[in-house]
């Protein structure tokens, strides 16, 4: 797996502020995908898509409050 870091500017963070930040992405040829976004205000968002099709999304406000922690899977009804 090879990772890639991308700088971005003026994107809306989970707190609502428009800030700069870094986005780290990596994937493999078998279906694993990871994206972690860190905003300059301190907010964070992590998206993980796994080989089985399930997805985990976690969003954290810069004050430490978890705004979203969701796991969904294709096999769930």
């Amino acid at each position: 797996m090879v990772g890639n870091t991308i700088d971005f500017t003026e994107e809306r963070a989970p707190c609502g502020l428009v800030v700069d930040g870094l986005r780290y992405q990596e994937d493999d040829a078998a279906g694993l995908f990871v994206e972690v976004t860190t905003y300059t205000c301190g907010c964070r968002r992590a998206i993980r898509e796994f080989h089985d099709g399930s997805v985990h999304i976690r969003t954290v406000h810069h004050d430490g409050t978890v705004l979203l922690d969701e796991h969904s899977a294709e096999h769930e009804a």
Side-chain angles (χ1 to χ4, degrees), residues 3 5-6 11-12 17 23 27 29-31 34 36-37 39 41 43 46-47 50 54-55 58 60 62 64 68 70:
T5 302
I6 303 162
E11 187 172 300
R12 188 166 307 279
L17 296 174
R23 181 170 291 115
D27 61 53
V34 176
V36 179
T37 305
Y39 300 88
C41 62
C43 290
I47 302 169
F50 299 96
S54 63
V55 178
R58 183 173 174 94
V60 180
H62 59 256
L68 178 68
E70 181 177 288

Side-chain angles (χ1 to χ4, degrees), residues 48 50 52-57 70-76:
R48 294 175 178 86
F50 299 96
D52 66 356
S54 63
V55 178
H56 181 238
I57 302 171
E70 181 177 288
H71 183 209
S72 62
E74 288 184 349
H75 62 272
E76 292 178 355

Side-chain angles (χ1 to χ4, degrees), residues 23-26 33-37 45-49:
R23 181 170 291 115
Y24 175 78
Q25 297 176 333
E26 69 180 51
F33 174 77
V34 176
E35 178 178 281
V36 179
T37 305
R45 177 177 291 129
I47 302 169
R48 294 175 178 86
E49 297 178 22

